[in-house]
Amino acid sequence: MNRVFQLPDSTYIGGEEKALPLGEILSRLKNIYCNHIGVEFMFINNREQTDWIKRKFETPGILNIHADEKRLMLARLLRSQRFEEFLARKWSSEKRFGLEGCEVLIPSMKTLIDSSSALGVESFVIGMPHRGRLNVLANVCRKPLEKIFCQFDSKLEAADEGSGDVKYHLGMSVERLNRVTNKQIKIAVVANPSHLEAVDPVVQGKTRAEQFYRGDTEGKKVMSILLHGDAAFSGQGVVYETFHLSDLPAYTTHGTVHIVANNQIGFTTDPRSSRSSPYCTDVARVVNAPIFHVNADDPEAVMYVAKVAAEWRSTFGKDVVIDLVSYRRNGHNEIDEPMFTQPLMYKRIAKTPTVLAQYSEKLMKEGIVTQQEYEEEVSKYDKICEEAYVLSKKESTVSYRDWLDSPWHGFFDSREAMVLPKTGVKEDILQHIGSVFSSPPPGDFVIHPGLKRILKARMEMVNNRTVDWALGEALAFGSLLKEGIHVRLSGQDVERGTFSHRHHVLHHQTLDKVRYNALNHIYKGQAPYTVENSSLSEYGVLGFELGYVMSNPNSLVLWEAQFGDFANTAQCIIDQFISSGQAKWVRQNGIVLLLPHGYEGMGPEHSSARLERFLQMSNDDQDHFPTYATFNSKYNEKESDDFEIQQLHEINWFVGNLTTPANYFHALRRQIALPFRKPLVLMTPKSLLRLPEARSSFEDMIEGTGFQRLIPDKGVCTKKPEGVKKLIFCTGKVYYELMKEREKMNRDETIAITRIEQISPFPFDLVKQEILRYPNAKFAWVQEEHKNMGAWSYVEPRMRTVLRKIADSDRPMENYLLKKVEYIGRNPEASAAAGNKQRHQYEFSQFMNHAMKEI
């Protein structure tokens, strides 16, 4: 019979006992407690795994630890605690989110890394909240202490561009020797914001990418470690989303070790008010992860559990949780008063000796160390800290590049920073990729009859040298794969496409699990193409793809929302990581967000990808016309040839609403061709996917062509521009509706229509050229979105800046300051779109009639 014990009362610092009664534990048949260790595993429906765990905790003498290991544990514990005490002495009024109360976290992580290194792991990717972060950087990663200490000096100037971030959000990457195993290891701590658990899927994506590029198909060389707080682990939904990626073929990292620093309190919230489950770790049960509850005041038990966790992951390739049942000696931060809300708990904490005091006394009684040896070790580490403190005073700047979690060594050095690349390709490449993509699978592969018609139509387009949206995308992917660029597309329904337009993965109609992906069979030696339907998650999956793209700049990683407005459930990743990552952490990335957008009368939840939100987060100045210009004469001012590339350098991301497959083709290829990496946010079409007018010719994609930030009118109005009475600027699918209405109203000679394809950074130079082309025209902005949405609030002040720039040039023509940009579109509204189809059509006809008025 199993030996079953409760965790001792001393484990729980709060006023109420948290351990379950012994009889209830037995009746549930789920827990085995051995000394200060509690193991949850009986819910695991695999006999081999449960028997393995039993052997690890029921074998007599299994917890016996050698004296050398005890001394190593004491030394690590000492460094963990003395580091926090040093910071507390030097910067008593600074927030640092120290580990006091859970100092054993550092030895547990180091034991886990030692054991995993011995089992063959070479690279560790770590995600963690702010509590204990500086200690992890110092004592796990061995970041030079002077580099950490200088972060407390607010007077130091930043050596990098951007706004920077607080010290306990920063990451790092280091390669060093593991002294226990004598093996070289790499450790990366991923930079992250205050948003708890947001970094979890990012770490998983980064880990998966590193495994992919190493060819580590079983996760034996690269592993992730995620640290959590107890309240966040049970309270944040992204934890659940991340767990549900753990066994999916395109997202698994073959086991993650989760360590919960269980303070038994969330900020000021008692566990009785912060979760409904018995344990904060119960969410891990959904993926059959074993859960090891361990008394954080028993370092030897913690060390043993860390070893078992490493062995579990190596043996079974599955997640495992270590619950360090501890406490928080200070408040939420070092200047917080915890007695306000937790008086009973903190009275008890005040009487509780530190784990270092308890363990050192234990080892002295056992004769493992002497008082003198202990004091010498304390003095030795204190001296190290003092010397580093002196060195930190010599630092003159703070360089955030030193804190990158995955440096792209040599990437920027080998590229011409100010060269704007052309992205066209040879026509024979387009023909070859198009033909392979449009051909049925080889052999006796049975495809759906409807797909036969689709493939036939694609082949006809290839023969006619034209492309629709799906074919243009495939040509972009295929050409990059030919060049050795790995392409990964992820999201809900991406294999087929939400609107059944893509069909990158063909399914055998009579055999299960038989699939064919033509883009993986274009050229010998090409890069692999990964396209996978994701779980029904936005937050977790977008975070995963962001982490994936961070590992390698020479990859095209795309996430597609099922509908564009669903991106708002991933807003945390967009706001905290994607739009601001470079400013905070000098962290470039080239992720592509594909957000289906367009008003087709489908109601408020399937119309708008909230273009206005992405534009609002762009960092360009609406009142400043960029001054990259050359002057040939007083009236012949010309923007510099570097204008476009300079804008791309300075913006935080690119936001576009494209109208042609060719421009989509170039936008995707430009992501890789640019000498730097910025996110690309695209409002992708729905109705335009099959609109005959929304097709492109091979002529727009061959060598010498490139991305068009703005597409001017090329109709009859350009022959007599002085006769044009109205110049309409627009973006996206409304262009085709305007064209149809203009032809219907016979306004081809008097109304010009210009498409702004790249909205941010705003093409000031090209808009200026368009305005000057039509000297007698009035200007209007037309959009299908409501006035308080869409691009209007972003575009209007920038167009006024263009008009002011023209007026200030002192040209011998009318004063452009008197001109205005008229808004044409739907009225302001709280909801993104009308839920009634008839109202949608009425609104559409109203602003179309307005747009076609010449004056």
Side-chain angles (χ1 to χ4, degrees):
M1 179 174 175
N2 298 331
R3 292 192 302 145
V4 181
F5 299 91
Q6 286 180 285
L7 285 167
D9 290 351
S10 60
T11 302
Y12 295 96
I13 302 298
E16 180 181 339
E17 182 180 325
K18 290 288 181 183
L20 292 172
L22 180 59
E24 185 175 347
I25 295 171
L26 284 170
S27 66
R28 292 188 181 187
L29 291 176
K30 70 174 185 177
N31 294 333
I32 290 180
Y33 287 122
C34 183
N35 276 348
H36 285 183
I37 303 172
V39 185
E40 287 189 78
F41 72 99
M42 294 303 289
F43 53 83
I44 297 176
N45 53 8
N46 182 297
R47 182 66 176 269
E48 178 190 3
Q49 294 173 6
T50 55
D51 286 349
W52 187 92
I53 294 173
K54 289 178 182 178
R55 288 195 299 272
K56 292 296 178 181
F57 291 93
E58 294 184 351
T59 303
I62 198 75
L63 281 176
N64 293 341
I65 295 177
H66 192 273
D68 288 343
E69 288 185 290
K70 294 183 178 182
R71 281 191 287 268
L72 179 61
M73 169 61 74
L74 180 64
R76 289 173 168 177
L77 199 56
L78 183 149
R79 287 183 170 231
S80 176
Q81 181 168 315
R82 297 300 290 184
F83 176 81
E84 299 293 357
E85 291 174 352
F86 183 83
L87 295 183
R89 287 197 306 273
K90 296 296 185 182
W91 297 280
S92 58
S93 62
E94 285 272 359
K95 291 181 183 179
R96 53 185 169 82
F97 296 97
L99 268 181
E100 290 94 333
C102 193
E103 294 92 343
V104 78
L105 175 69
I106 300 302
S108 70
M109 291 182 67
K110 292 177 77 71
T111 301
L112 174 63
I113 289 171
D114 293 343
S115 300
S116 300
S117 174
L119 293 167
V121 177
E122 300 171 353
S123 180
F124 301 85
V125 185
I126 299 173
M128 66 177 300
H130 40 283
R131 187 165 310 284
R133 191 181 196 87
L134 298 181
N135 208 324
V136 168
L137 294 174
N139 288 313
V140 176
C141 303
R142 297 183 198 157
K143 182 82 175 177
L145 294 181
E146 59 271 20
K147 294 293 186 181
I148 296 175
F149 295 161
C150 75
Q151 292 288 322
F152 286 90
D153 188 348
S154 60
K155 296 187 292 294
L156 290 183
E157 293 184 2
D160 310 297
E161 296 180 2
S163 56
D165 201 353
V166 292
K167 48 193 166 290
Y168 40 81
H169 288 172
L170 302 177
M172 72 162 295
S173 177
V174 63
E175 294 188 30
R176 65 169 178 81
L177 183 70
N178 182 288
R179 297 188 184 120
V180 173
T181 62
N182 203 34
K183 292 182 178 181
Q184 200 72 13
I185 61 172
K186 175 186 173 185
I187 302 177
V189 178
V190 178
N192 66 284
S194 290
H195 294 60
L196 295 171
E197 308 294 345
V199 78
D200 295 358
V202 180
V203 167
Q204 300 301 70
K206 190 173 186 299
T207 303
R208 171 68 184 223
E210 191 169 338
Q211 291 172 349
F212 176 85
Y213 294 118
R214 283 174 174 248
D216 182 17
T217 56
E218 297 181 345
K220 298 296 186 182
K221 300 295 183 183
V222 184
M223 70 173 281
S224 56
I225 303 172
L226 288 178
L227 277 59
H228 313 268
D230 54 312
F233 197 63
S234 58
Q236 294 290 332
V238 71
V239 175
Y240 184 86
E241 292 187 37
T242 303
F243 266 114
H244 270 287
L245 296 176
S246 64
D247 281 335
L248 303 184
Y251 302 89
T252 181
T253 59
H254 307 285
T256 296
V257 178
H258 302 262
I259 304 177
V260 180
N262 189 344
N263 300 312
Q264 305 179 72
I265 183 172
F267 199 84
T268 61
T269 306
D270 188 285
R272 291 168 293 193
S273 302
S274 66
R275 66 174 185 265
S276 298
S277 58
Y279 299 98
C280 65
T281 53
D282 282 346
V283 65
R285 292 160 59 95
V286 301
V287 294
N288 283 345
I291 303 166
F292 304 138
H293 305 280
V294 57
N295 186 347
D297 275 357
D298 185 347
E300 293 176 13
V302 171
M303 177 185 286
Y304 180 73
V305 162
K307 291 179 180 178
V308 173
E311 293 172 13
W312 166 272
R313 182 197 176 273
S314 179
T315 304
F316 298 108
K318 292 178 66 66
D319 285 26
V320 56
V321 178
I322 301 173
D323 179 19
L324 296 178
V325 185
S326 59
Y327 60 94
R328 199 172 65 201
R329 189 164 288 274
N330 298 312
H332 176 67
N333 58 63
E334 288 70 29
I335 59 177
D336 179 46
E337 175 50 76
M339 293 288 284
F340 288 155
T341 53
Q342 306 292 333
L344 297 180
M345 174 181 280
Y346 276 88
K347 284 176 183 177
R348 191 163 177 180
I349 288 174
K351 299 175 183 178
T352 303
T354 66
V355 62
L356 178 61
Q358 295 178 52
Y359 193 56
S360 60
E361 181 180 354
K362 176 180 182 292
L363 295 194
M364 288 177 197
K365 287 180 179 179
E366 293 178 3
I368 303 294
V369 296
T370 65
Q371 181 72 36
Q372 181 180 350
E373 289 173 331
Y374 173 73
E375 291 175 356
E376 287 175 355
E377 192 68 23
V378 170
S379 177
K380 177 182 175 182
Y381 187 67
D382 286 353
K383 183 180 179 182
I384 291 173
C385 290
E386 288 290 349
E387 290 174 350
Y389 179 74
V390 173
L391 287 174
S392 72
K393 296 297 183 182
K394 298 179 181 180
E395 297 285 338
S396 58
T397 60
V398 175
S399 176
Y400 288 106
R401 293 185 188 277
D402 294 339
W403 302 81
L404 279 172
D405 50 72
S406 53
W408 296 338
H409 298 295
F411 173 75
F412 297 100
D413 300 338
S414 60
R415 294 165 182 264
E416 293 288 338
M418 295 304 295
V419 173
L420 185 67
K422 292 294 183 182
T423 48
V425 299
K426 294 180 179 178
E427 182 162 345
D428 61 337
I429 295 175
L430 299 177
Q431 286 284 351
H432 177 72
I433 297 170
S435 296
V436 173
F437 181 63
S438 305
S439 299
D444 56 357
F445 193 104
V446 181
I447 65 173
H448 190 279
L451 289 176
K452 292 181 180 179
R453 294 191 297 271
I454 291 174
L455 293 178
K456 181 180 178 181
R458 284 179 181 169
M459 189 64 78
E460 289 175 357
M461 281 193 290
V462 173
N463 293 334
N464 293 329
R465 301 178 69 247
T466 60
V467 298
D468 63 4
W469 203 268
L471 184 53
E473 178 185 72
L475 294 177
F477 289 176
S479 59
L480 290 172
L481 295 170
K482 179 182 185 298
E483 296 165 13
I485 302 299
H486 170 47
V487 178
R488 177 183 171 92
L489 173 61
S490 170
Q492 300 150 20
D493 299 330
V494 294
E495 295 179 6
R496 183 203 67 188
T498 296
F499 309 101
S500 197
H501 71 287
R502 186 174 283 125
H503 296 294
H504 284 188
V505 178
L506 307 183
H507 293 258
H508 200 294
Q509 295 297 293
T510 60
L511 299 175
D512 189 25
K513 297 181 181 180
V514 179
R515 314 192 317 170
Y516 179 74
N517 184 342
L519 290 178
N520 270 321
H521 303 278
I522 303 172
Y523 293 98
K524 289 183 179 180
Q526 68 170 70
Y529 172 48
T530 302
V531 54
E532 290 284 349
N533 291 338
S534 72
S535 62
L536 203 65
S537 155
E538 288 85 28
Y539 190 169
V541 172
L542 179 56
F544 187 98
E545 302 309 329
L546 172 68
Y548 199 101
V549 77
M550 284 163 49
S551 290
N552 182 0
N554 294 312
S555 62
L556 181 68
V557 177
L558 310 95
W559 174 74
E560 183 174 68
Q562 194 174 53
F563 288 90
D565 55 306
F566 292 170
N568 58 17
T569 59
Q571 202 69 42
C572 179
I573 297 296
I574 294 168
D575 291 354
Q576 315 308 135
F577 288 91
I578 298 177
S579 72
S580 58
Q582 183 173 358
K584 294 191 293 188
W585 308 313
V586 203
R587 171 76 277 170
Q588 290 193 14
N589 79 82
I591 193 167
V592 179
L593 274 57
L594 305 178
L595 309 178
H597 174 87
Y599 284 54
E600 280 105 4
M602 299 305 294
E605 264 64 82
H606 296 305
S607 296
S608 176
R610 294 294 189 173
L611 171 60
E612 63 277 2
R613 295 180 180 172
F614 295 97
L615 294 175
Q616 184 187 37
M617 289 186 285
S618 292
N619 66 351
D620 60 341
D621 189 345
Q622 65 181 24
D623 299 318
H624 174 65
F625 192 109
T627 55
Y628 332 122
T630 57
F631 295 85
N632 297 330
S633 68
K634 182 176 180 180
Y635 300 121
N636 191 15
E637 176 188 340
K638 179 180 178 298
E639 275 64 53
S640 165
D641 292 338
D642 293 337
F643 190 97
E644 181 176 353
I645 190 71
Q646 188 71 41
Q647 270 197 309
L648 298 178
H649 265 290
E650 295 179 0
I651 200 74
N652 60 318
W653 59 8
F654 316 138
V655 181
N657 192 8
L658 313 183
T659 59
T660 71
N663 230 15
Y664 181 44
F665 168 88
H666 288 296
L668 296 179
R669 287 186 50 80
R670 188 181 71 168
Q671 283 297 98
I672 298 300
L674 285 171
F676 47 84
R677 293 291 176 262
K678 299 289 176 76
L680 172 63
V681 181
L682 289 179
M683 306 293 110
T684 54
K686 295 180 289 181
S687 61
L688 298 193
L689 296 174
R690 294 176 176 83
L691 186 70
E693 292 82 2
R695 292 188 177 182
S696 298
S697 166
F698 278 9
E699 291 296 328
D700 299 321
M701 305 163 72
I702 59 176
E703 288 180 304
T705 61
F707 179 73
Q708 293 180 274
R709 294 175 292 152
L710 178 149
I711 302 179
D713 199 319
K714 299 176 182 177
V716 295
C717 62
T718 60
K719 297 178 180 178
K720 293 183 179 180
E722 64 280 358
V724 171
K725 297 178 180 179
K726 178 184 277 188
L727 170 58
I728 291 176
F729 290 94
C730 65
T731 187
K733 86 170 181 68
V734 75
Y735 163 76
Y736 291 99
E737 291 156 342
L738 287 167
M739 289 286 287
K740 183 179 179 180
E741 194 71 15
R742 184 177 68 173
E743 182 179 2
K744 175 183 173 183
M745 300 294 291
N746 196 24
R747 300 281 194 270
D748 291 1
E749 294 183 358
T750 55
I751 296 179
I753 305 173
T754 295
R755 291 168 271 177
I756 296 181
E757 302 276 292
Q758 176 183 285
I759 311 172
S760 180
F762 190 71
F764 286 97
D765 53 333
L766 301 182
V767 170
K768 175 186 165 188
Q769 290 178 20
E770 284 298 286
I771 290 174
L772 291 175
R773 178 173 292 141
Y774 305 102
N776 300 318
K778 292 189 175 183
F779 315 123
W781 173 262
V782 177
Q783 66 179 37
E784 58 182 351
E785 301 88 352
H786 295 281
K787 190 174 184 179
N788 56 326
M789 304 172 193
W792 167 246
S793 59
Y794 177 89
V795 167
E796 191 269 340
R798 285 163 178 80
M799 294 190 73
R800 276 194 278 109
T801 297
V802 173
L803 293 173
R804 187 170 61 249
K805 176 71 173 178
I806 296 173
D808 291 347
S809 65
D810 213 14
R811 293 175 181 272
M813 56 180 64
E814 69 172 281
N815 191 343
Y816 275 79
L817 280 177
L818 299 179
K819 295 199 173 189
K820 294 181 179 180
V821 182
E822 181 185 15
Y823 168 78
I824 300 176
R826 289 178 166 89
N827 294 327
E829 184 59 80
S831 179
N836 180 278
K837 191 71 174 277
Q838 186 174 356
R839 180 178 174 182
H840 163 80
Q841 293 291 355
Y842 173 76
E843 292 174 345
F844 172 78
S845 62
Q846 286 293 101
F847 80 76
M848 274 291 150
N849 289 336
H850 188 185
M852 289 301 112
K853 292 180 180 179
E854 296 175 346
I855 56 172

